[in-house]
Amino acid sequence: MNNIQTTAQLGDALRTARKRLGLTQPQLALAAGVGVRFIVDLESGKPTVRLESVLRVIDALGGTLQLSGLASSAHETQAEGKHHGA
């Protein structure tokens, strides 16, 4: 799993994944339902790309987005249960 902290790192990771799958930028754009220009901008680390489209590209590459280091909803649910007491 990649630890992504910048848009440039995200672009590099997605470019690497695309190339490992043997896809061209136009092929990935078609699979994700985005324009080729979007793929170019994403892979170059452009900070203003649309998140919805980024998620479609990640899905088209067979990946998922996971967050770590954030409070989980399960943890929050447990904490709420303690406050409401039984």
Side-chain angles (χ1 to χ4, degrees), residues 39-55:
I39 300 298
V40 171
D41 289 346
L42 178 59
E43 289 185 357
S44 69
K46 183 177 179 182
T48 57
V49 294
R50 288 186 54 152
L51 180 58
E52 178 184 15
S53 297
V54 173
L55 294 174

PDB file of all heavy atoms in Angstrom, residues 39-55:
ATOM      1  N   ILE A  39      -6.537  12.667 -17.132  1.00  0.00           N
ATOM      2  CA  ILE A  39      -5.504  11.689 -16.767  1.00  0.00           C
ATOM      3  C   ILE A  39      -4.136  12.360 -16.764  1.00  0.00           C
ATOM      4  O   ILE A  39      -3.341  12.164 -15.839  1.00  0.00           O
ATOM      5  CB  ILE A  39      -5.520  10.473 -17.725  1.00  0.00           C
ATOM      6  CG1 ILE A  39      -6.876   9.748 -17.691  1.00  0.00           C
ATOM      7  CG2 ILE A  39      -4.369   9.515 -17.400  1.00  0.00           C
ATOM      8  CD1 ILE A  39      -7.251   9.156 -16.343  1.00  0.00           C
ATOM      9  N   VAL A  40      -3.862  13.171 -17.768  1.00  0.00           N
ATOM     10  CA  VAL A  40      -2.589  13.891 -17.841  1.00  0.00           C
ATOM     11  C   VAL A  40      -2.426  14.788 -16.612  1.00  0.00           C
ATOM     12  O   VAL A  40      -1.375  14.790 -15.963  1.00  0.00           O
ATOM     13  CB  VAL A  40      -2.495  14.712 -19.151  1.00  0.00           C
ATOM     14  CG1 VAL A  40      -1.285  15.629 -19.140  1.00  0.00           C
ATOM     15  CG2 VAL A  40      -2.460  13.777 -20.353  1.00  0.00           C
ATOM     16  N   ASP A  41      -3.468  15.557 -16.291  1.00  0.00           N
ATOM     17  CA  ASP A  41      -3.405  16.449 -15.127  1.00  0.00           C
ATOM     18  C   ASP A  41      -3.242  15.668 -13.822  1.00  0.00           C
ATOM     19  O   ASP A  41      -2.448  16.044 -12.960  1.00  0.00           O
ATOM     20  CB  ASP A  41      -4.673  17.307 -15.045  1.00  0.00           C
ATOM     21  CG  ASP A  41      -4.751  18.371 -16.119  1.00  0.00           C
ATOM     22  OD1 ASP A  41      -3.717  18.645 -16.781  1.00  0.00           O
ATOM     23  OD2 ASP A  41      -5.848  18.933 -16.300  1.00  0.00           O
ATOM     24  N   LEU A  42      -3.979  14.591 -13.685  1.00  0.00           N
ATOM     25  CA  LEU A  42      -3.905  13.767 -12.479  1.00  0.00           C
ATOM     26  C   LEU A  42      -2.506  13.187 -12.301  1.00  0.00           C
ATOM     27  O   LEU A  42      -1.924  13.276 -11.213  1.00  0.00           O
ATOM     28  CB  LEU A  42      -4.951  12.647 -12.558  1.00  0.00           C
ATOM     29  CG  LEU A  42      -5.001  11.643 -11.411  1.00  0.00           C
ATOM     30  CD1 LEU A  42      -5.271  12.340 -10.082  1.00  0.00           C
ATOM     31  CD2 LEU A  42      -6.072  10.592 -11.690  1.00  0.00           C
ATOM     32  N   GLU A  43      -1.970  12.618 -13.352  1.00  0.00           N
ATOM     33  CA  GLU A  43      -0.643  12.003 -13.261  1.00  0.00           C
ATOM     34  C   GLU A  43       0.463  13.037 -13.047  1.00  0.00           C
ATOM     35  O   GLU A  43       1.515  12.711 -12.513  1.00  0.00           O
ATOM     36  CB  GLU A  43      -0.360  11.161 -14.502  1.00  0.00           C
ATOM     37  CG  GLU A  43      -1.194   9.898 -14.555  1.00  0.00           C
ATOM     38  CD  GLU A  43      -0.849   8.979 -15.710  1.00  0.00           C
ATOM     39  OE1 GLU A  43       0.019   9.337 -16.542  1.00  0.00           O
ATOM     40  OE2 GLU A  43      -1.441   7.886 -15.793  1.00  0.00           O
ATOM     41  N   SER A  44       0.216  14.279 -13.429  1.00  0.00           N
ATOM     42  CA  SER A  44       1.231  15.316 -13.219  1.00  0.00           C
ATOM     43  C   SER A  44       1.103  15.970 -11.849  1.00  0.00           C
ATOM     44  O   SER A  44       1.903  16.840 -11.503  1.00  0.00           O
ATOM     45  CB  SER A  44       1.147  16.377 -14.325  1.00  0.00           C
ATOM     46  OG  SER A  44      -0.039  17.128 -14.193  1.00  0.00           O
ATOM     47  N   GLY A  45       0.106  15.550 -11.073  1.00  0.00           N
ATOM     48  CA  GLY A  45      -0.030  16.057  -9.708  1.00  0.00           C
ATOM     49  C   GLY A  45      -0.812  17.350  -9.589  1.00  0.00           C
ATOM     50  O   GLY A  45      -0.706  18.051  -8.581  1.00  0.00           O
ATOM     51  N   LYS A  46      -1.613  17.675 -10.581  1.00  0.00           N
ATOM     52  CA  LYS A  46      -2.415  18.902 -10.523  1.00  0.00           C
ATOM     53  C   LYS A  46      -3.302  18.863  -9.277  1.00  0.00           C
ATOM     54  O   LYS A  46      -4.047  17.908  -9.073  1.00  0.00           O
ATOM     55  CB  LYS A  46      -3.266  19.044 -11.786  1.00  0.00           C
ATOM     56  CG  LYS A  46      -4.057  20.331 -11.827  1.00  0.00           C
ATOM     57  CD  LYS A  46      -4.830  20.463 -13.124  1.00  0.00           C
ATOM     58  CE  LYS A  46      -5.638  21.746 -13.126  1.00  0.00           C
ATOM     59  NZ  LYS A  46      -6.428  21.866 -14.359  1.00  0.00           N
ATOM     60  N   PRO A  47      -3.232  19.896  -8.439  1.00  0.00           N
ATOM     61  CA  PRO A  47      -3.939  19.848  -7.158  1.00  0.00           C
ATOM     62  C   PRO A  47      -5.440  20.125  -7.235  1.00  0.00           C
ATOM     63  O   PRO A  47      -6.134  19.944  -6.227  1.00  0.00           O
ATOM     64  CB  PRO A  47      -3.242  20.922  -6.334  1.00  0.00           C
ATOM     65  CG  PRO A  47      -2.697  21.876  -7.318  1.00  0.00           C
ATOM     66  CD  PRO A  47      -2.361  21.063  -8.543  1.00  0.00           C
ATOM     67  N   THR A  48      -5.967  20.516  -8.377  1.00  0.00           N
ATOM     68  CA  THR A  48      -7.372  20.905  -8.441  1.00  0.00           C
ATOM     69  C   THR A  48      -8.251  19.908  -9.188  1.00  0.00           C
ATOM     70  O   THR A  48      -9.348  20.266  -9.615  1.00  0.00           O
ATOM     71  CB  THR A  48      -7.511  22.299  -9.091  1.00  0.00           C
ATOM     72  OG1 THR A  48      -6.916  22.257 -10.391  1.00  0.00           O
ATOM     73  CG2 THR A  48      -6.861  23.372  -8.246  1.00  0.00           C
ATOM     74  N   VAL A  49      -7.824  18.672  -9.335  1.00  0.00           N
ATOM     75  CA  VAL A  49      -8.654  17.682 -10.020  1.00  0.00           C
ATOM     76  C   VAL A  49      -9.869  17.330  -9.164  1.00  0.00           C
ATOM     77  O   VAL A  49      -9.838  17.425  -7.939  1.00  0.00           O
ATOM     78  CB  VAL A  49      -7.856  16.404 -10.381  1.00  0.00           C
ATOM     79  CG1 VAL A  49      -6.788  16.696 -11.401  1.00  0.00           C
ATOM     80  CG2 VAL A  49      -7.260  15.756  -9.145  1.00  0.00           C
ATOM     81  N   ARG A  50     -10.929  16.904  -9.824  1.00  0.00           N
ATOM     82  CA  ARG A  50     -12.169  16.550  -9.110  1.00  0.00           C
ATOM     83  C   ARG A  50     -12.032  15.200  -8.413  1.00  0.00           C
ATOM     84  O   ARG A  50     -11.665  14.204  -9.039  1.00  0.00           O
ATOM     85  CB  ARG A  50     -13.331  16.464 -10.102  1.00  0.00           C
ATOM     86  CG  ARG A  50     -13.775  17.817 -10.619  1.00  0.00           C
ATOM     87  CD  ARG A  50     -14.989  17.653 -11.468  1.00  0.00           C
ATOM     88  NE  ARG A  50     -16.017  16.938 -10.714  1.00  0.00           N
ATOM     89  CZ  ARG A  50     -17.303  17.070 -10.913  1.00  0.00           C
ATOM     90  NH1 ARG A  50     -17.744  17.844 -11.852  1.00  0.00           N
ATOM     91  NH2 ARG A  50     -18.172  16.385 -10.196  1.00  0.00           N
ATOM     92  N   LEU A  51     -12.371  15.175  -7.149  1.00  0.00           N
ATOM     93  CA  LEU A  51     -12.255  13.954  -6.359  1.00  0.00           C
ATOM     94  C   LEU A  51     -13.115  12.830  -6.938  1.00  0.00           C
ATOM     95  O   LEU A  51     -12.671  11.687  -7.006  1.00  0.00           O
ATOM     96  CB  LEU A  51     -12.630  14.215  -4.907  1.00  0.00           C
ATOM     97  CG  LEU A  51     -12.556  13.012  -3.978  1.00  0.00           C
ATOM     98  CD1 LEU A  51     -11.150  12.407  -3.972  1.00  0.00           C
ATOM     99  CD2 LEU A  51     -12.979  13.396  -2.577  1.00  0.00           C
ATOM    100  N   GLU A  52     -14.311  13.141  -7.368  1.00  0.00           N
ATOM    101  CA  GLU A  52     -15.190  12.115  -7.946  1.00  0.00           C
ATOM    102  C   GLU A  52     -14.510  11.418  -9.126  1.00  0.00           C
ATOM    103  O   GLU A  52     -14.564  10.194  -9.252  1.00  0.00           O
ATOM    104  CB  GLU A  52     -16.500  12.746  -8.399  1.00  0.00           C
ATOM    105  CG  GLU A  52     -17.443  11.761  -9.063  1.00  0.00           C
ATOM    106  CD  GLU A  52     -18.707  12.424  -9.587  1.00  0.00           C
ATOM    107  OE1 GLU A  52     -18.755  13.665  -9.692  1.00  0.00           O
ATOM    108  OE2 GLU A  52     -19.644  11.681  -9.901  1.00  0.00           O
ATOM    109  N   SER A  53     -13.846  12.202  -9.955  1.00  0.00           N
ATOM    110  CA  SER A  53     -13.160  11.635 -11.112  1.00  0.00           C
ATOM    111  C   SER A  53     -11.926  10.846 -10.691  1.00  0.00           C
ATOM    112  O   SER A  53     -11.620   9.809 -11.283  1.00  0.00           O
ATOM    113  CB  SER A  53     -12.771  12.746 -12.090  1.00  0.00           C
ATOM    114  OG  SER A  53     -13.931  13.392 -12.581  1.00  0.00           O
ATOM    115  N   VAL A  54     -11.227  11.313  -9.678  1.00  0.00           N
ATOM    116  CA  VAL A  54     -10.067  10.569  -9.153  1.00  0.00           C
ATOM    117  C   VAL A  54     -10.522   9.194  -8.675  1.00  0.00           C
ATOM    118  O   VAL A  54      -9.882   8.178  -8.967  1.00  0.00           O
ATOM    119  CB  VAL A  54      -9.382  11.337  -8.001  1.00  0.00           C
ATOM    120  CG1 VAL A  54      -8.298  10.483  -7.352  1.00  0.00           C
ATOM    121  CG2 VAL A  54      -8.801  12.657  -8.494  1.00  0.00           C
ATOM    122  N   LEU A  55     -11.641   9.149  -7.977  1.00  0.00           N
ATOM    123  CA  LEU A  55     -12.156   7.870  -7.475  1.00  0.00           C
ATOM    124  C   LEU A  55     -12.534   6.947  -8.632  1.00  0.00           C
ATOM    125  O   LEU A  55     -12.333   5.729  -8.547  1.00  0.00           O
ATOM    126  CB  LEU A  55     -13.351   8.105  -6.552  1.00  0.00           C
ATOM    127  CG  LEU A  55     -13.024   8.834  -5.248  1.00  0.00           C
ATOM    128  CD1 LEU A  55     -14.302   9.151  -4.476  1.00  0.00           C
ATOM    129  CD2 LEU A  55     -12.065   8.032  -4.390  1.00  0.00           C
TER     130      LEU A  55
END
